[in-house]
Amino acid sequence: MSRLEWKLLTKKRGSATRGVPPGKEDLAWVSGTVTLIYGQRDAVLVDTFLTEQHSKELLGWVVESGKNHTTIYVTHAHGDHYFGLKLLLDRFPNAKAVATAPVVAAIQNQIKPDSTKSIWEPRFPGQLPSQLIAPEFLEGDAFYLEGKKLKVVELGHTDTSHTTALYVPSIGLVISGDSFYANTHLYLAECDEKARNDWLQALDRIESLHPKAFVA
Ligand SMILES: [Zn+2]
């Protein structure tokens, strides 16, 4: 069996925050990262992007890889991680989008028209994909790519409730979802003191895996 490889696609977009103080203009931008894990033939994608334009660019990148896409794993229930699902599944109808049960339940709520109209559309007018879909429940806490295990790590509350990371033991890779940020202000709107403590424990849980590589 061959070793799994991975690569990243990062896109910068406007933050959901509006009206940053002078001198803090960098806070108006955030970046998102999608991970492609692949073997000789098959590939798994972890998360997607927010806007229609970035979803199209993601699809192009995924198609260019030339791999057979089996699974899209969604780490947590934030739109900037799953809004691109429909476009990808239309192109790869044999692929399956999956997430843990609480993440699927939260997404099913969030993609109701009332919810997207009040939360996402005012902040990103005309930029969202026209059709949003939820992933399916993942049975168990792991799935496989060319015989190699990809394990879900439940993190509890980090930047929202019921977040997860994905761990690939054979190559020591951890994809953090939004539990780690790099040079981007943390999204703290859903955090109180208890949630911040949960977040710190989530970081300890990831550290205990001793990853060789880590995607923020
Ligand atoms: Zn998030």
Side-chain angles (χ1 to χ4, degrees), residues 66-78:
K67 301 292 179 188
N68 169 46
H69 292 272
T70 60
T71 311
I72 305 169
Y73 179 72
V74 178
T75 55
H76 66 293
H78 274 156

Side-chain angles (χ1 to χ4, degrees), residues 76 78 81 159 178:
H76 66 293
H78 274 156
H81 293 254
D159 78 335
D178 275 346

Side-chain angles (χ1 to χ4, degrees), residues 22-35:
K24 301 282 182 188
E25 285 76 13
D26 57 321
L27 293 177
W29 298 94
V30 297
S31 59
T33 302
V34 170
T35 309

